[in-house]
Amino acid sequence: MRRGRFAPTPSGKMHLGNARTALIAWLHMRSLNGEFILRMEDIDTERSRQKWAELALLDLRWLGLDWDEGPDIGGRYAPYTQSERLDRYEEGLLKLEAAGALYPCYCSRADILSAASAPHGLPSEGPAYAGTCRHLTAAERAAKALHKTPSLRFALPEGREVRFEDGIAGSQYFAAGSGGDFVVRRADGLHSYQLSVVMDDADMKITDVLRGYDLLDSTPRQILLYEALGFQAPEFLHVPLLNGPDGKRLAKRHGGIAISAFRERGTTPERLVGWLAHVSGLIDRPEAVSATELIHSFDLSSIPREPVVVDVPDL
């Protein structure tokens, strides 16, 4: 059984870009007679709010999307909210530690920036970590631990390049060491996105991860974590983003992009779904259509391979 998911972060109102990704992920699974799972990625407790999580559920249902398992209806692999899954992330860390794949890092952000000697980082992650703490002796670690609580980093396998075929973006190649060793648990105890999403998708038997292109360069790190944890990696599909007229990723600064704003001013869900489908290459004009009506004609090859520049629709 094919299983896909949509996993919003409840740090604000759901907007057009989020809704487009959700719609495409939902159509992908429904067109394959697969199962669609909703997961709430609220692990960053400083930014996440319950009110935004509740609003996301309302927005998605208003758009005509449903799910087979989720935080509000449960399912075989509950819980579906990251803040309720912290024990699983700790189990993952213990497994990685037993495999010798982790080490404590005492570097500050300033230390990392000053040690960066070349732009070999990943665009979404900043400069590559130079490996400063990877080869500290036990005595050196003990001395540093007297003054600072460490984060935990995943040690990239030496010489391991990553290649994979993305279902939308095509063939991908990441050289060995791309981005450097990365944090899986912060010094304040917060588990990283990379670790939590791998544990979640593995536990929930996700076979297809369809998400925004901004997460493409997280994929090699996640593939390495899947391998280190003994899990089978899913298929990955990364959708090019919606950009505003300024060429930058569609965001709050462009104004009027919240799904709730369209609903509150009387826009019908069919009109908004039709617009989302049109800018995604699924229909040839922005006409009113329900999400269900798009299932039978859904074709991944219709999805644009480059970012789509749009104006905020006046619907």
Side-chain angles (χ1 to χ4, degrees), residues 203-253:
D203 285 353
M204 296 172 192
K205 313 300 182 189
I206 300 301
T207 62
D208 297 74
V209 172
L210 191 153
R211 57 193 180 187
Y213 195 89
D214 53 320
L215 292 170
L216 179 63
D217 61 14
S218 287
T219 307
R221 295 182 168 190
Q222 291 168 19
I223 287 174
L224 294 175
L225 282 175
Y226 277 109
E227 292 177 356
L229 290 163
F231 298 140
Q232 176 67 44
E235 298 294 321
F236 292 98
L237 308 94
H238 289 86
V239 181
L241 303 179
L242 294 182
N243 289 347
D246 57 0
K248 297 180 180 179
R249 179 182 176 182
L250 200 64
K252 293 178 183 177
R253 64 178 173 274

Side-chain angles (χ1 to χ4, degrees), residues 15-178:
H15 58 69
L16 292 171
N18 307 138
R20 174 177 177 254
T21 301
L23 175 64
I24 295 173
W26 183 85
L27 288 170
H28 180 50
M29 279 301 103
R30 294 302 185 225
S31 69
L32 297 172
N33 293 315
E35 295 174 333
F36 188 68
I37 290 80
L38 182 68
R39 184 172 71 236
M40 203 59 63
E41 295 193 340
D42 67 340
I43 196 169
D44 188 344
T45 54
E46 293 181 1
R47 298 174 58 236
S48 298
R49 297 290 182 272
Q50 180 61 26
K51 66 177 182 179
W52 302 133
E54 293 172 358
L55 183 60
L57 300 182
L58 178 62
D59 288 342
L60 291 168
R61 284 206 169 93
W62 178 75
L63 287 168
L65 308 186
D66 62 352
W67 41 94
D68 302 290
E69 302 165 28
D72 56 334
I73 61 175
R76 290 173 289 171
Y77 306 109
Y80 296 92
T81 299
Q82 285 188 334
S83 59
E84 299 175 18
R85 296 178 49 78
L86 303 184
D87 288 348
R88 282 296 292 145
Y89 308 147
E90 283 298 311
E91 290 173 18
L93 288 175
L94 289 174
K95 192 170 184 179
L96 292 172
E97 186 175 36
L102 302 182
Y103 64 88
C105 175
Y106 303 89
C107 295
S108 67
R109 187 181 300 272
D111 294 333
I112 295 170
L113 290 173
S114 65
S117 60
H120 297 314
L122 301 175
S124 63
E125 301 280 349
Y129 180 63
T132 307
C133 291
R134 182 165 180 165
H135 302 295
L136 294 178
T137 65
E140 289 171 329
R141 287 175 179 171
K144 288 181 177 293
L146 294 174
H147 306 285
K148 190 178 190 303
T149 301
S151 61
L152 288 178
R153 287 188 182 270
F154 178 78
L156 295 182
E158 296 285 352
R160 172 69 163 84
E161 60 186 24
V162 177
R163 298 175 185 269
F164 65 94
E165 190 69 23
D166 189 275
I168 295 176
S171 298
Q172 302 296 313
Y173 167 73
F174 292 82
S178 293

